[in-house]
Amino acid sequence: NARPVESARFDTGSSDLAREHEAHLKGVTAQSPGNAFFLVVGYASKSGDSKQNETLSSNRATRVASVVNFLKQQGQEVQAVYLGETDRFDAARDAPNQISEVWEIRP
């Protein structure tokens, strides 16, 4: 009962969330059931300093979770986690891994 509902990309070295992601998250929280749980997972690419990347992935997850927390309906919950550096998002095509995913989990 889990599905990804948003994948927010970030510029290198940034945790600033683009407005289009905020608008999409507003729709997601409005259309989700009142008891939905949102898990926000932050990542960073493997380039640069690993400690800074850990901080970036944390900041990205926290930023997105803050928006979800503000927009969520009564009864919905949200939690942020960060996983640090990754090449999960198609490293073969040099795709950026500066991402926060939002997963909706339904009980």
Side-chain angles (χ1 to χ4, degrees):
N1 291 328
R3 67 185 183 103
V5 293
E6 180 69 13
S7 182
R9 294 199 179 272
F10 295 87
D11 291 335
T12 300
S14 175
S15 59
D16 294 333
L17 185 63
R19 291 246 183 239
E20 68 258 16
H21 295 299
E22 292 183 24
H24 186 252
L25 289 169
K26 184 175 184 176
V28 165
T29 57
Q31 295 173 2
S32 294
N35 62 348
F37 176 80
F38 298 100
L39 181 65
V40 181
V41 186
Y43 303 93
S45 64
K46 288 187 172 182
S47 62
D49 179 73
S50 63
K51 190 66 174 163
Q52 284 180 309
N53 287 339
E54 184 176 322
T55 300
L56 267 174
S57 69
S58 173
N59 290 346
R60 290 169 178 158
T62 301
R63 174 68 181 121
V64 174
S66 294
V67 171
V68 173
N69 190 54
F70 178 75
L71 297 171
K72 69 182 174 73
Q73 301 175 47
Q74 185 173 353
Q76 293 177 337
E77 299 292 330
V78 62
Q79 182 173 349
V81 297
Y82 63 95
L83 299 179
E85 298 179 335
T86 188
D87 59 5
R88 172 177 172 225
F89 301 98
D90 202 357
R93 292 189 314 195
D94 199 29
N97 288 279
Q98 293 107 222
I99 292 177
S100 278
E101 290 183 308
V102 181
W103 286 76
E104 177 196 71
I105 302 170
R106 295 182 182 190

